[in-house]
Amino acid sequence: MATYDAIFVGSGINSLVGAALLARDGWSVCVLERNDVAGGCIRTSIDLTLPGFTHEVLASWHPLFTGSAAYAELKDDLDRRGVVYLNTDLPTGTAFPDGSAAFITGSLEGNVAEFARLAPGDGAAWERQFNSFMGNADLAFGLLSTELWSAAGLSLGRKALRRLGRRGLLEFSGNTLVSCRDWVTGTFESEAAHGVLAPWVLHTGLGPDQATSGFMTQVIGAALQLGGMPVPEGGGVRLVDALAGIVSDAGGEVRLEADVRRIVVANGRATGVRLADGEMMAATRAIVANVTPTQLYGSLLGDGDVPEAVTAAAARYRYGRAEMQIHLALDEPPQWTGDDHERLGRCPIVHVTPGLDGVSRAVNEAERGLLPAEATIVCGQPVALDPSRAPAGKSILWLQLQELPAGTVKGDAAGDLDIGDGTWTEDLREAYADRIVARLGGSIANLDGATSKRVVFSPVDIESLNMNLVGGDIYGGSCALDQNLLWRPLAGAPGHETAVAGLWHIGASTHPGPGLGAGSGYLVAKALTRPRLANRLLARLPGRS
Ligand SMILES: Cc1cc2nc3c(=O)[nH]c(=O)nc-3n(C[C@H](O)[C@H](O)[C@H](O)COP(=O)(O)OP(=O)(O)OC[C@H]3O[C@@H](n4cnc5c(N)ncnc54)[C@H](O)[C@@H]3O)c2cc1C
């Protein structure tokens, strides 16, 4: 039987980073992936539309990765393996229906000027809010990068208390709960300022009226200014290959078409896995499962492996809104309309929406089971950063619709589309995509004529690419407060250590949640390689370094 120090179930970014860190530390590791391609949501394709076009089928933008502790630690290795990040000083903008636009730039001066253009006083408001956020940025980012259910989480709390005092800490915590609506309307005068910030909460799995969405808006606003919108030259596959290379060069393996069906537990300890074809594999030190709680507790573990309350709580784990992805190959660059067409053409991500109320309405319609009448269109333009993604003079668009019902579609808020029985048939998928593309045509003059090929993924198609995206929820589970931070994945099983010795739970369903930041893989690798307590105490003795 093949035996490793650690086996990772699933090859998402968290697994690849965790495996690379363990491999560099001398562990023998094996990453098992059920698909015929590694990387999970990082899935670069050169076959999706037409020859010469490179598409990110799912995740595309890497600011969370380049801003992560994992990247800081692995950067030299990744550089050596040819991972090159391309970035911009104009990460995002919003195109409004009246032809106007608003932007977030990559500098403080740029944002002060841009927000002042939107309303007198809003430039100064941006500067004030940015400086105030940065004063405690270590606490804010710490909340999203620390193992909260641990001594490290406790010391983050103590640090906050020492710095802010009891009342200050109460105020800081209150500020983390505010909704995006309350925060943006309380901070900025201009509706355009609200409209350039509000769509970003969709990228955290939230809506603008939900608790914590205002805090996430502040985090993202600062992150956009500080980190831009990097993408790896040539596509995310470069990062996946480089991480897999670190594993294999250290003697480990990333195995494809290896579908794990059971985690074997003996005497309360995880000892190995069984694959769909019956093959058994053993792990002597750790099994790290990058799966949903539904899969982990519902099928990978057996009856009695964990307390019944945990299994029951996992069965109640909620998935969030679904998503659709539209990919377009264009014969020429998109021609944006309006006075700001040049800047819109340079932005890697443009949101097309009426603004804060537009996002709020579309989220609400989706949460009530309806196809939104006026969805927020996330219009990604990878060629604005990386010309290698399309033949010279051509382009691609990466369109994301994050406001779709979880589960069966109950109706169309616009009253136009025949939703049939509410399942995602090919007809419904293409009809909804037609509506989106027609609306986008109001902002991009040549969209119709320039499109040479279109490929659409409905929520069902998305789940079929990665079983962790249940119902087409691209964030691996609702990110509402009761299922986030300390409570992710489950209040009864917080953090990454599970009730089974040697079994660790990582991935988007666990803290710090979805995104390419690789936080859970990093935290678990660090926990596994941390020197034992006795060695740590010995190292503190005088004369020992
Ligand atoms: C359409 C889309 C767009 C996104 N855009 C961005 C973006 O631009 N930037 C960003 O930061 N984030 C983005 N995200 C979110 C981000 O990509 C994900 O949160 C993140 O990649 C999840 O990584 P993960 O480590 O949890 O594993 P995943 O990427 O979910 O991978 C898990 C892997 O495990 C495999 N697996 C599951 N069960 C088993 C099993 N039993 N046996 C073997 N293999 C198994 C699956 O096949 C899958 O390959 C996007 C997500 C989607 C879907």
Side-chain angles (χ1 to χ4, degrees), residues 193-251:
H194 309 161
V196 75
L197 285 161
W200 276 99
V201 301
L202 299 176
H203 300 267
T204 68
L206 296 171
D209 297 293
Q210 271 178 289
T212 70
S213 60
F215 170 67
M216 293 311 293
T217 310
Q218 295 168 57
V219 172
I220 289 177
L224 287 166
Q225 181 177 299
L226 296 170
M229 192 52 60
V231 297
E233 188 175 33
V237 64
R238 299 281 174 84
L239 174 62
V240 170
D241 287 349
L243 290 168
I246 296 174
V247 172
S248 53
D249 287 357

Side-chain angles (χ1 to χ4, degrees), residues 101-160:
F103 299 88
I104 296 176
T105 78
S107 74
L108 180 58
E109 313 77 66
N111 287 326
V112 170
E114 173 62 9
F115 276 62
R117 180 182 76 87
L118 303 177
D122 276 0
W126 177 278
E127 186 162 19
R128 254 194 324 274
Q129 68 81 25
F130 177 76
N131 289 336
S132 134
F133 177 85
M134 289 311 288
N136 289 311
D138 56 336
L139 302 179
F141 288 117
L143 202 56
L144 303 173
S145 59
T146 304
E147 184 68 87
L148 295 175
W149 191 254
S150 75
L154 207 58
S155 48
L156 182 70
R158 282 212 204 95
K159 179 176 169 185

Side-chain angles (χ1 to χ4, degrees), residues 10 14 33-34 40-41 59-61 260 290 295 400 466 507-508 515-516:
N14 285 289
E33 169 56 55
R34 69 197 294 274
C41 295
S60 177
W61 316 98
V260 176
N290 186 342
Q295 190 189 172
Q400 207 181 41
N466 177 351
L516 296 177

Side-chain angles (χ1 to χ4, degrees), residues 49-64:
T49 55
L50 297 168
F53 293 87
T54 302
H55 297 268
E56 298 290 23
V57 180
L58 300 171
S60 177
W61 316 98
H62 289 223
L64 290 179

Side-chain angles (χ1 to χ4, degrees), residues 9-15 32-35 37 39-42 57-64 258-261 290-291 295 300 323 325 398 400 462 465-469 474-475 506-509 513-517:
V9 182
S11 69
I13 184 75
N14 285 289
S15 301
L32 299 172
E33 169 56 55
R34 69 197 294 274
N35 287 337
V37 57
C41 295
I42 306 180
V57 180
L58 300 171
S60 177
W61 316 98
H62 289 223
L64 290 179
D259 188 359
V260 176
R261 290 293 170 85
N290 186 342
V291 301
Q295 190 189 172
L300 291 180
E323 199 255 9
Q325 199 71 35
W398 174 98
Q400 207 181 41
I462 285 175
L465 296 177
N466 177 351
M467 70 180 291
N468 287 6
L469 310 176
I474 62 172
Y475 297 131
I506 62 167
S509 303
L516 296 177

